[in-house]
Amino acid sequence: MSEDSQFRFGPATGIGSMPGGDAREAAKTVTGSFEDFPFLPELPARGPGADMIGRTAGMLVELYARVEPSGWRIGDRPGRDTRRARSWLGEDLDALEEFTQEYEGPLKVQAVGPWTLAAGLELRNGEAALSDPGACRDLAASLAEGLRLHLAEVRRRVPGARLVLQLDEPSLTAVLRGRVRSASGYRTHRAVDRQIVEATLRDVVGAHGGGPVVVHSCAPDVPFALLRRAGAAAVSFDFSLLTERDDEVIGEAVEGGTRLFAGVVPGTDGPLSDPAGSVMGVRTLWRRLGLRPGLLPEAVTVTPACGLAGASPEYARAAYAHCVRAARSLADNPE
């Protein structure tokens, strides 16, 4: 087994985004809910620069982005939008540091992965960076360097933490299948070669210096095998989107030591079933794959299906508590 497969992940955690705009309140909620596996909250409701693409654009090294009516666009120099993104990230880190004094254990930080970033950032001509192979390479290199600096900063602030890097790649399947729309909306950008996608991901995964990386996508048809080959120690996904045709790759992933971050709790307000009911599908999958029940808590981290930016603060707290109870149910009754 690889070094990453020996890493002790927590039994439950969140995806990243949360409702509201108060960094201290978010950090307090996360550290109080997930005592064994907190994460750095993201609060996109604050506006441009706190959104997923803008936040990660603020981490880039020697590449800058600004907000245009059509979205984030690469520019020549750091402007107001870059400063705002970095300021909010600093605020979030201050809050996390305050609530993780003396903490020792896994701690997750999130950033957009290279392919979703290439699909979401525009070049000067208004087309996605995805349309230009050279721009994709530059973006991935800048992101990798930015992530190294970001991880070093989190280590400085929370020295007892064992960092987990999450790369958010909701557009990855669309990139692989040529489904990312052009600026006009009348055509799509051609599919990127799978080997190039894999090699680029591997380079960015390497920014964590051998530490564990989880790749998250709440889109259908997550490419589990490609992500494993690229070096992901774990894959995070919306469990409700799995089909039986995913069984084989999931079985291979688990047997190869890849951890599953199973998104079983809805990301928007609604009634929550009992915790055991939420993970019933995970147990059923395990039986179908013929995997040893005792392996469940070692192989699965329970999460919401996606980020909770669209949820109410009350639901977010309830969903996190539900994830923790559902993970305990898996550990206590794996059969």
Side-chain angles (χ1 to χ4, degrees):
M1 274 195 167
S2 70
E3 184 184 338
D4 287 341
S5 62
Q6 306 295 343
F7 183 92
R8 296 208 55 87
F9 293 93
T13 192
I15 297 299
S17 66
M18 296 177 64
D22 186 328
R24 288 187 77 255
E25 186 59 35
K28 183 180 177 184
T29 296
V30 162
T31 54
S33 301
F34 300 113
E35 295 176 4
D36 301 321
F37 197 2
F39 62 93
L40 177 63
E42 301 165 356
L43 302 171
R46 291 180 296 197
D51 61 297
M52 190 169 82
I53 296 292
R55 183 180 181 90
T56 300
M59 296 180 192
L60 297 175
V61 172
E62 295 179 2
L63 273 180
Y64 310 102
R66 64 177 186 270
V67 179
E68 297 286 340
S70 53
W72 284 89
R73 182 170 295 182
I74 294 171
D76 299 317
R77 60 184 69 85
R80 179 184 60 193
D81 299 322
T82 298
R83 287 194 294 274
R84 188 193 296 126
R86 290 175 177 173
S87 171
W88 272 328
L89 179 58
E91 227 178 82
D92 295 338
L93 287 167
D94 288 344
L96 184 73
E97 184 178 1
E98 179 185 345
F99 287 99
T100 50
Q101 298 294 313
E102 314 299 322
Y103 175 72
E104 293 184 356
L107 170 67
K108 183 164 69 68
V109 298
Q110 305 83 219
V112 175
W115 293 108
T116 296
L117 198 60
L121 267 182
E122 297 174 0
L123 300 172
R124 289 172 182 81
N125 65 4
E127 286 296 351
L130 188 66
S131 64
D132 181 335
C136 290
R137 284 193 295 274
D138 291 347
L139 199 53
S142 174
L143 175 62
E145 188 53 37
L147 288 173
R148 283 186 196 98
L149 295 172
H150 178 53
L151 290 161
E153 173 68 4
V154 180
R155 271 188 210 100
R156 184 184 69 76
R157 289 169 175 265
V158 194
R162 299 193 305 280
L163 296 187
V164 176
L165 171 62
Q166 175 178 306
L167 296 175
D168 291 318
E169 282 284 16
S171 300
L172 183 59
T173 302
V175 167
L176 287 165
R177 296 189 176 177
R179 291 182 182 165
V180 176
R181 293 211 164 274
S182 65
S184 68
Y186 294 126
R187 60 182 185 84
T188 55
H189 296 291
R190 69 174 54 150
V192 181
D193 181 270
R194 294 181 80 87
Q195 288 180 306
I196 293 173
V197 169
E198 184 182 320
T200 302
L201 274 168
R202 188 180 299 112
D203 289 345
V204 176
V205 165
H208 196 6
V213 175
V214 50
V215 178
H216 166 71
S217 174
C218 45
D221 299 319
V222 176
F224 284 89
L226 183 152
L227 296 177
R228 288 180 59 221
R229 290 194 303 272
V235 180
S236 170
F237 56 97
D238 179 344
F239 193 85
S240 72
L241 297 178
L242 286 186
T243 67
E244 291 198 19
R245 70 171 182 271
D246 296 308
D247 281 6
E248 189 176 338
V249 288
I250 288 179
E252 286 172 1
V254 172
E255 288 177 342
T258 304
R259 193 170 183 91
L260 306 181
F261 280 44
V264 297
V265 177
T268 50
D269 291 41
L272 292 166
S273 69
D274 69 293
S278 291
V279 287
M280 190 178 295
V282 181
R283 291 193 184 94
T284 302
L285 171 68
W286 232 244
R287 281 196 294 273
R288 211 164 61 225
L289 296 176
L291 293 167
R292 183 168 56 83
L295 187 63
L296 263 172
E298 294 171 32
V300 174
T301 291
V302 175
T303 73
C306 217
L308 298 182
S312 67
E314 297 74 25
Y315 178 80
R317 285 191 289 272
Y320 289 159
H322 194 84
C323 286
V324 171
R325 287 195 294 269
R328 197 171 298 136
S329 162
L330 265 189
D332 291 347
N333 304 296
E335 307 272 2

